[in-house]
Amino acid sequence: MKRWRLYFLLSMLLCLTSCAAQQEAAGLLWIRNLNDLEGLEGLFDYGLCAVEDTLVLDTPAGPASVQPRMTDTPAVCTPQDEKTYRLLGGDGLYALDAQNAVYAVDLSAGSMAQRPVGRIAVSEDAAYLSKGVVNGARVIAMHLSSMGMSRAGSCVVYPLDGGEAMLAEENGVVDLCAYRDGKALLLCQKELSLELRILDPATGRQSVLATLEGTEGAGLAYESATDSIYLARSSGIWRVDRNGKAKQVGYLSWMQMPGSACAAVTSDGCYALYGRNNLLVYDLHAPEGNVAPLTVSCPQFEQYCQGTLTAYQLANPQLNVSLTSYETSSGDTFLQHYYADSAADIIGLENLELLDDMIGKGYCADLSGSSVIASLV
């Protein structure tokens, strides 16, 4: 195993001081790795919904429910038949079977009870239906023709009476969720930005609510109690109000979430985000505050560093750890990176020959001999 020495920058002391005194608006409650739970090794694509104060996960073992303010361990609800279902969110909990029949779902008795509510006419040549929400008499669905990190697809509106479908958006849709007044929200990828749009499924008309710089985004969810929209970006959790004003309100454990990251909001204000086999749950109503994250910068493509930090975050969900990377090159290149990105609190060095120059310029100090740090490792 590669030997690592972590050198703490002087700015870390300021970061830890601010973290101790303040609290973020979207505070992380807990993280759960689903690989640790037998039968729940991952979700189906976009397989996360919310009903009242309960999260529902679409797992290989069947729907699994969890009340995030009570526990971090989902309980599987056994289907009453042998059919394969796909969970749909929206104004309730629904399921779609292989014949495109739609059912209202009740999990209150500990098993999955279904009541038929309609059928949608999906064409045989349609791309993969990855996500859907039910609003009134319609299903608003997202179809993806490609898989991977930069996935984007189309949005189609299906009447529940089996009538003709309407293509609302041909391409660029990376996520969608139910919205107020029977409408839906679309997160659409443009060349250099993301557009958050309001879709009227009755007419197909769209209006742009907000434009966000950059093309990374997923985990779209709406909280009706505060009329707020939430989504996950590489920098953290963002909130968009009804006027389109966006603000970062929380931090993520990873530099990037996969394009298929999905999210849901419970009625008691828990924002749940699933990605890379981990379920993260945030309290959206933690006290306001400007919390500075602890930023760790490691050599690019260094999987050991990333894996170690992820494991540490799982064990310490109350900490806000952000991971960045730099290219391993000459000392001059590294120092240019550091000067440009002075927000790093901890730097992992692959080339220890760079130390002398950094210590000489007063940017870091070798604390590997500290008895205080040794007692904490």
Side-chain angles (χ1 to χ4, degrees):
M1 180 180 296
K2 184 181 298 183
R3 296 181 61 187
W4 272 85
R5 303 173 78 187
L6 294 180
Y7 293 86
F8 289 71
L9 305 181
L10 299 179
S11 58
M12 177 185 174
L13 299 177
L14 297 177
C15 172
L16 294 179
T17 301
S18 63
C19 286
Q22 303 174 25
Q23 192 175 17
E24 58 186 344
L28 187 61
L29 288 177
W30 50 264
I31 305 177
R32 187 72 185 217
N33 190 325
L34 297 188
N35 285 336
D36 297 335
L37 303 175
E38 185 176 356
L40 300 182
E41 296 87 352
L43 305 186
F44 290 118
D45 234 14
Y46 296 93
L48 180 61
C49 304
V51 182
E52 299 298 332
D53 63 350
T54 302
L55 297 172
V56 183
L57 293 70
D58 199 0
T59 78
S65 62
V66 59
Q67 292 178 296
R69 292 194 182 273
M70 303 293 292
T71 180
D72 63 355
T73 304
V76 176
C77 303
T78 307
Q80 295 180 340
D81 53 41
E82 299 299 322
K83 286 185 178 181
T84 299
Y85 295 94
R86 180 61 189 271
L87 291 183
L88 306 175
D91 55 20
L93 183 63
Y94 298 87
L96 178 71
D97 69 13
Q99 288 71 45
N100 297 320
V102 180
Y103 303 84
V105 173
D106 182 6
L107 302 178
S108 59
S111 61
M112 179 176 170
Q114 304 97 251
R115 175 177 57 84
V117 296
R119 184 181 299 273
I120 60 177
V122 181
S123 65
E124 294 183 358
D125 59 349
Y128 172 60
L129 196 159
S130 59
K131 184 177 183 178
V133 295
V134 179
N135 262 6
R138 299 175 179 86
V139 175
I140 302 102
M142 181 169 67
H143 289 269
L144 296 179
S145 57
S146 63
M147 310 294 282
M149 292 290 292
S150 59
R151 54 176 60 187
S154 62
C155 176
V156 180
V157 178
Y158 295 99
L160 278 171
D161 61 5
E164 183 178 357
M166 175 180 63
L167 179 63
E169 184 62 39
E170 187 173 0
N171 55 54
V173 180
V174 295
D175 206 350
L176 60 79
C177 72
Y179 192 42
R180 55 186 172 87
D181 303 326
K183 295 181 172 62
L185 292 168
L186 305 182
L187 188 62
C188 300
Q189 194 174 66
K190 307 297 287 184
E191 185 176 355
L192 299 174
S193 63
L194 289 175
E195 283 187 353
L196 185 58
R197 304 177 188 172
I198 301 173
L199 168 68
D200 184 345
T203 63
R205 293 176 182 171
Q206 300 179 42
S207 59
V208 177
L209 177 64
T211 300
L212 307 173
E213 292 184 2
T215 59
E216 294 179 357
L220 188 65
Y222 174 66
E223 185 185 27
S224 59
T226 60
D227 199 12
S228 299
I229 303 160
Y230 292 88
L231 70 154
R233 312 200 72 191
S234 60
S235 58
I237 307 300
W238 285 73
R239 179 177 62 212
V240 181
D241 65 21
R242 64 182 305 166
N243 299 315
K245 184 179 179 181
K247 175 185 178 182
Q248 184 175 350
V249 295
Y251 294 97
L252 282 176
S253 309
W254 300 277
M255 185 171 57
Q256 290 182 334
M257 292 295 289
S260 59
C262 53
V265 173
T266 62
S267 60
D268 56 356
C270 288
Y271 173 80
L273 179 68
Y274 174 80
R276 292 181 178 148
N277 296 322
N278 290 300
L279 181 65
L280 296 79
V281 176
Y282 291 81
D283 178 6
L284 295 177
H285 305 301
E288 291 283 347
N290 298 318
V291 178
L294 182 64
T295 302
V296 182
S297 188
C298 291
Q300 194 173 20
F301 309 120
E302 179 47 63
Q303 297 300 315
Y304 171 74
C305 185
Q306 183 173 0
T308 300
L309 290 175
T310 298
Y312 184 75
Q313 180 75 77
L314 287 171
N316 301 274
Q318 74 279 9
L319 300 179
N320 299 309
V321 181
S322 176
L323 176 65
T324 63
S325 65
Y326 63 87
E327 294 184 6
T328 303
S329 186
S330 65
D332 291 340
T333 302
F334 171 78
L335 290 174
Q336 288 174 7
H337 161 82
Y338 178 69
Y339 297 149
D341 185 18
S342 59
D345 301 299
I346 300 175
I347 288 185
L349 292 181
E350 190 174 42
N351 182 2
L352 298 183
E353 294 178 358
L354 300 176
L355 266 182
D356 291 339
D357 197 8
M358 294 190 68
I359 293 175
K361 288 181 169 61
Y363 281 97
C364 69
D366 184 358
L367 303 182
S368 57
S370 169
S371 59
V372 176
I373 292 178
S375 68
L376 300 175
V377 176

